[in-house]
Amino acid sequence: MIFEKAVKLKNGKECILRNAEPTDAREFLEYFELCHAETDFLTTYPDETEHNLGKISARLADNKQSEGNVEILAYVDGRLVGSAGIHMIQDRDKLRHRAEFGISIIKAYWGLGIGNYLTESCIECAKEAGYLQLELDAVSDNESALNLYRKYGFTEFGRNPRGFRTREGIWQELVLMRLEF
Ligand SMILES: CC(C)(COP(=O)(O)OP(=O)(O)OC[C@H]1O[C@@H](n2cnc3c(N)ncnc32)[C@H](O)[C@@H]1OP(=O)(O)O)[C@@H](O)C(=O)NCCC(=O)NCCS
């Protein structure tokens, strides 16, 4: 999907939100690795992510072409500082109404409103794509994310006490949330 918007952050700076382009692959990988190293609330460890720039570029190109998937990037002062996306759960008749939502922002840029704007943008795209339900999982200790999701109307529909198991062997409970349109 195609998306572009300019917004003003809580610190007065401008933030450009736009769909990812295939040429963003290298910067996207750098941003992704940093985000995933800065928090223990995400699913993937930085060394588990796809490192092949050709493959990342192809995935970003697919998202751009797709009518049901989008990866929205947030730029501040020309730097990629956050992203959020929606992806169809599975391309099957019984599942085509459901999309998954994911978001992450570089720590130095937390608290400026980027999470709000990215979430609003993804909800807008999900509605435009015709989805009837947006879904996500969040670690139950991740108060910032849970507050953000509740603010936009996501409601809890269950918990998975053994959702994640960290490399240190610690269980992380997942809160399952959904938003109906
Ligand atoms: C969760 C995350 C996306 C929030 O992004 P952000 O840009 O800091 O959020 P914003 O500044 O736009 O705040 C949005 C809302 O989130 C909640 N929130 C943000 N920071 C918070 C904090 N420190 N404490 C409590 N709630 C908080 C509030 O509801 C806030 O609404 P408000 O603007 O009306 O106060 C960001 O902290 C992040 O990327 N964390 C690491 C990755 C992650 O956890 N992703 C989600 C995985 S499920």
Side-chain angles (χ1 to χ4, degrees):
M1 290 178 81
I2 304 290
F3 186 90
E4 180 146 21
K5 193 182 265 186
V7 294
K8 200 165 206 183
L9 300 180
K10 289 175 186 172
N11 64 0
K13 289 219 175 203
E14 185 185 66
C15 175
I16 305 292
L17 305 172
R18 65 158 176 85
N19 62 280
E21 298 285 342
T23 47
D24 295 319
R26 183 179 299 280
E27 200 182 3
F28 186 81
L29 175 58
E30 285 166 12
Y31 137 81
F32 192 91
E33 285 189 306
L34 176 57
C35 268
H36 284 67
E38 287 181 329
T39 174
D40 206 17
F41 289 142
L42 295 168
T43 315
T44 312
Y45 284 108
D47 58 50
E48 291 178 318
T49 187
E50 175 59 68
H51 280 73
N52 181 311
L53 290 181
K55 286 188 184 168
I56 298 171
S57 180
R59 184 165 52 80
L60 297 179
D62 281 351
N63 283 335
K64 186 181 175 188
Q65 295 297 325
S66 159
E67 288 177 11
N69 296 336
V70 71
E71 192 66 50
I72 301 175
L73 308 184
Y75 282 87
V76 179
D77 295 330
R79 181 183 182 197
L80 172 52
V81 300
S83 84
I86 54 165
H87 298 93
M88 187 184 282
I89 300 259
Q90 218 184 323
D91 195 8
R92 295 282 181 273
D93 284 352
K94 288 186 178 178
L95 296 172
R96 247 173 240 128
H97 63 291
R98 293 168 56 191
E100 193 167 31
F101 170 59
I103 182 167
S104 59
I105 294 156
I106 290 175
K107 201 170 194 171
Y109 293 82
W110 288 358
L112 298 176
I114 300 172
N116 283 324
Y117 286 124
L118 281 172
T119 305
E120 281 170 20
S121 303
C122 282
I123 290 173
E124 192 180 315
C125 288
K127 286 181 180 169
E128 194 186 317
Y131 289 114
L132 301 177
Q133 181 163 292
L134 204 49
E135 303 175 20
L136 58 87
D137 300 344
V139 174
S140 56
D141 294 333
N142 193 352
E143 271 310 314
S144 304
L146 291 171
N147 282 341
L148 170 67
Y149 303 143
R150 287 188 201 111
K151 178 174 169 184
Y152 286 93
F154 283 86
T155 53
E156 179 178 335
F157 67 95
R159 290 196 178 215
N160 185 346
R162 292 189 169 197
F164 288 165
R165 186 168 178 266
T166 67
R167 286 178 173 168
E168 295 76 33
I170 296 165
W171 298 115
Q172 288 181 310
E173 180 181 59
L174 289 179
V175 180
L176 317 178
M177 301 187 94
R178 66 188 195 99
L179 175 65
E180 273 183 27
F181 302 129

